[in-house]
Amino acid sequence: MTVRYILRINQNPMRHLSTRKMKLLDLSLLIHLCSLLLVSTQPTDQPPFSCDSTDPLTESYNFCKTTLPINRRVEDLVSRLTLDEKISQLVSTATAIPRLGIPGYEWWSEALHGVAFVANISQGIRFNGTIRSATSFPQVILAAASFDPYLWYRIGQAIGIEARGVYNAGQARGMTFWTPNINIFRDPRWGRGQETPGEDPLVTGKYAVSFVRGIQGDSFEGGKLGESLQVSACCKHFTAYDLDNWKGINRFVFDANVTLQDLADTYQPPFQSCIEKGKASGVMCAYNRINGVPNCADYNLLSKTARGQWGFNGYITSDCDAVSIIYDEQGYVKEPEDAVADVLTAGMDLDCGEYLKNYTGSAIEKKKVAVSDIDRALHNLFSIRMRLGLFNGNPAKQPFGNIGSDQVCSQEHLNLALEAARNGIVLLKNDNRLLPLAKTEITSLAVIGPNANSSETLVGNYAGPPCNPVTPLQGLQSYVKNINYHPGCNTVNCSSDLTDEAMKIVKGTDQVVLVMGLDQTQEREAHDRVDLVLPGHQQKLVTRIASAANKPVILVLLCGGPVDITFAKNDQNIGSIIWAGYPGEAGGRALAEIIFGDHNPGGRLPITWYPQNLTKIPMTDMRMRPEPSSGYPGRTYRFYQGPKVFEFGYGLSYTNYSYEFLPLTKDKVYLNNQSSDKIALGYKSVSEMGTELCEKSKLPVTVRVQNNGEMDGKHAVLLFVRQAKTGNERPIKQLVGFNNVDLKAGENAEIKFELSACEHLSSAEGDGQMVVDEGSHFLSIGDKESEITVVFSEDTSDAATSKLMILPRILIFFYIYSFIPMHIVLK
């Protein structure tokens, strides 16, 4: 086999990694390369696998017998390994074990919003064969704006199919994908907020469940996965990770001071949903520390919570170099072997890096690590590889072996990418119904802006090569042939002012479209923003162009994180504003369809858009709840007490909708299984209520939605709840349900929600305990509200009611009986 390996550093999603990290992972690649030379006798276009039926030794290995349970197969495999071989499997580039016919394995692959290639760092996926690209869906933050779980599921499903297609074509060395990113987008400056579903725990949790079920090969409802995995998903970064590099404070050394209260009702719920409902097969522990303890060395987090309380059954990997920094940068331990011991005993299984390979042997010699800890880790790791079918012989004969290269960049998936972009794009302003533009009236356009013709900006970060990207300029050109284009700025940072040149193409055109915003030079992994305004001279360009145009202009923003565009919101020369996130390869087409009315926008913001003055607050302050005494306003729509540019859930349409709560079957929720010392305090612990009472407390809620406009439309219906009495560190309001409805003009539909008191009416106490408050709670959709009341009482079941009715009857009997002569009774 001839192998050619060229190491180069070019523009790629991970170009910001540290030199130390690059060197470490480059070494991993070379080791992996050597392992391929040693064991691979398979054709280069065939995927690597173990237990080849043509190998006579296969029959003697129990780990190759698919009739045995995976637990027994793994036990057999681990028992055959030498200590050195065991240690070699604890890192992301696991070397081959030739004597057992086990090829090398790359644990690190990416598929955030499409199968990605992490150039020169991970060789999990390569686009150097018959497959040269993969469908690039909208960046997660924009997909989240659709508030459509079934769409998220289908995106995950498509990515999983394409990943298998790449593997079956022999262009993958692993089927474990470190996605999705389900951290809460707490601070608008966070460079990686674009990778997340936003700031709400419920939305983020539902995204995790839907996407993971899709990519791993489960059904939308869940429960049909079994042992076989289409690919393996990994929910990251566990936990409370939302700072990369802000004013010199980086994620490697950051010690996040997080209250038990905020962990319980904000940071942890998405991971709990991902594990319990999504059945994710992987979890990644984050770089940062939580209250002094590194996430990857936290036994309470990894073993007690994830595995013990939530029933996690999979592998736990570190983020890359997260083990080494425990000693090298955080100074948490006295020597490298202590770091190895801490992470293994905490429950971590895999090191993305080389630290476990380098120091586990000496940690055993120093009696800091037991071989049983290594065996446990290997059991978790090889179980995943077996669930992926990598020890079942030729993959072409396995359940996912029929997925071919024709299913990568398929028309079905390209259509889905377009649908996702259409349904995520958010209309923020539309004065005097400037949009949609009339196709028959617009014969010329001026398109201006640094993001107007950039296919790279479209896809955001962690993206592979797209199949057929369409920029906003190209999308608009399909509607209007007479288009004049100017970038307006030298780059997105707009350090050079080209306004005067751009002004020349404005006059005489029917309409001006400005395509501005951010890109990966402004927000990305390892780079947080320090401002919330448009970069450089962008605002000046927008304002001057708008004032010179013949009619109000259209402003399009491509960005992941929110931008303070108060100036544009209040400028009468800017008629419409559209937020398009990073819309993926079909983004330009989707945007043009919305501008010209072939699609009615229905997306809603999954994040609050804050004003610039929020940057006065340190990004390192992890508190969700406000502190009025110090002027701290809190974070996210659930707690933030301060001015907003746009609200969470905001989004306009070309039509208008009205909402109506249908009469509730019951407007009181009784929580009465047992007495509690907390009832006197006005709240009751969810843990005390138990599963049975929580099930009984569920309440059906039905909302009628009416399309009162003249245009068909699809939009998200968001159901919130608020308490009658605010304060006491409870949320101002919180999302408890959402659904999508597609209505023709004049049509109405009934949307059904199921409200659970334990899940939807609860919030966290200071000690992290979830409680439900007694009293009035108000459901709201749009401008409509409906009241429900939580009641604590001794017993209100039908049987109890009957018992209570017996008491007055007994009293009446004894009262009458007292008047009857004794001799009559004796007779």
Side-chain angles (χ1 to χ4, degrees), residues 184-186 199 608 610 624 634-640:
I184 295 298
F185 197 170
R186 170 189 61 92
E199 69 182 39
T608 303
Y610 300 91
M624 299 301 300
R635 302 298 181 93
T636 79
Y637 80 95
R638 296 164 62 230
F639 301 104
Y640 175 70

Side-chain angles (χ1 to χ4, degrees), residues 773-786:
D773 289 312
E774 188 174 27
S776 294
H777 298 250
F778 291 91
L779 303 175
S780 66
I781 288 185
D783 59 352
K784 295 295 190 296
E785 285 196 336
S786 180

Side-chain angles (χ1 to χ4, degrees), residues 265-303:
D265 67 4
T266 299
Y267 296 111
Q268 296 288 64
F271 289 96
Q272 184 174 1
S273 294
C274 190
I275 291 170
E276 291 184 340
K277 298 177 181 178
K279 304 300 180 184
S281 50
V283 165
M284 176 186 286
C285 51
Y287 289 115
N288 58 293
R289 288 171 285 172
I290 299 292
N291 303 325
V293 181
N295 278 309
C296 292
D298 191 341
Y299 175 84
N300 286 330
L301 183 68
L302 305 186
S303 292

Side-chain angles (χ1 to χ4, degrees), residues 42-47 167-171:
Q42 301 161 355
T44 56
D45 61 347
Q46 185 167 322
Y167 171 77
N168 289 342
Q171 293 178 224

Side-chain angles (χ1 to χ4, degrees), residues 435-664:
L435 294 178
L437 299 180
K439 300 172 194 173
T440 56
E441 297 177 8
I442 302 298
T443 60
S444 62
L445 279 179
V447 179
I448 299 169
N451 281 334
N453 200 34
S454 171
S455 57
E456 185 178 356
T457 301
L458 282 177
V459 297
N461 69 349
Y462 281 100
C467 312
N468 183 28
V470 178
T471 68
L473 176 63
Q474 292 168 335
L476 292 168
Q477 284 171 335
S478 66
Y479 283 87
V480 180
K481 300 305 177 186
N482 183 12
I483 290 184
N484 291 315
Y485 162 68
H486 194 282
C489 299
N490 56 334
T491 60
V492 167
N493 70 16
C494 211
S495 58
S496 295
D497 185 2
L498 305 178
T499 304
D500 291 338
E501 295 178 28
M503 294 270 285
K504 295 175 183 177
I505 70 169
V506 172
K507 297 189 182 301
T509 58
D510 293 332
Q511 188 65 57
V512 177
V513 179
L514 290 145
V515 188
M516 315 300 289
L518 309 174
D519 67 2
Q520 300 308 299
T521 67
Q522 305 298 308
E523 54 174 352
R524 65 179 185 275
E525 184 173 358
H527 182 85
D528 300 320
R529 288 187 287 163
V530 294
D531 288 304
L532 295 181
V533 293
L534 289 171
H537 296 288
Q538 280 198 37
Q539 180 172 332
K540 175 185 174 183
L541 172 68
V542 171
T543 302
R544 287 191 60 192
I545 294 293
S547 63
N550 299 325
K551 58 182 69 172
V553 303
I554 300 162
L555 174 61
V556 176
L557 296 171
L558 298 188
C559 55
V563 179
D564 183 355
I565 52 166
T566 303
F567 79 95
K569 183 180 177 182
N570 298 330
D571 190 338
Q572 62 182 1
N573 293 320
I574 300 172
S576 297
I577 304 174
I578 296 173
W579 176 64
Y582 297 122
E585 66 174 76
R589 180 178 168 187
L591 187 61
E593 288 181 354
I594 287 172
I595 288 175
F596 281 95
D598 284 335
H599 183 77
N600 188 352
R604 293 175 178 266
L605 293 178
I607 42 174
T608 303
W609 283 37
Y610 300 91
Q612 166 70 3
N613 64 11
L614 186 84
T615 59
K616 296 177 181 178
I617 299 170
M619 193 174 170
T620 51
D621 195 326
M622 300 290 290
R623 291 176 295 168
M624 299 301 300
R625 288 155 167 84
E627 187 181 70
S629 61
S630 66
Y632 180 69
R635 302 298 181 93
T636 79
Y637 80 95
R638 296 164 62 230
F639 301 104
Y640 175 70
Q641 298 176 348
K644 309 174 189 70
V645 181
F646 293 107
E647 297 261 2
F648 170 89
Y650 179 81
L652 302 175
S653 170
Y654 294 154
T655 188
N656 58 81
Y657 301 95
S658 60
Y659 308 95
E660 176 189 2
F661 281 100
L662 298 189
L664 298 172

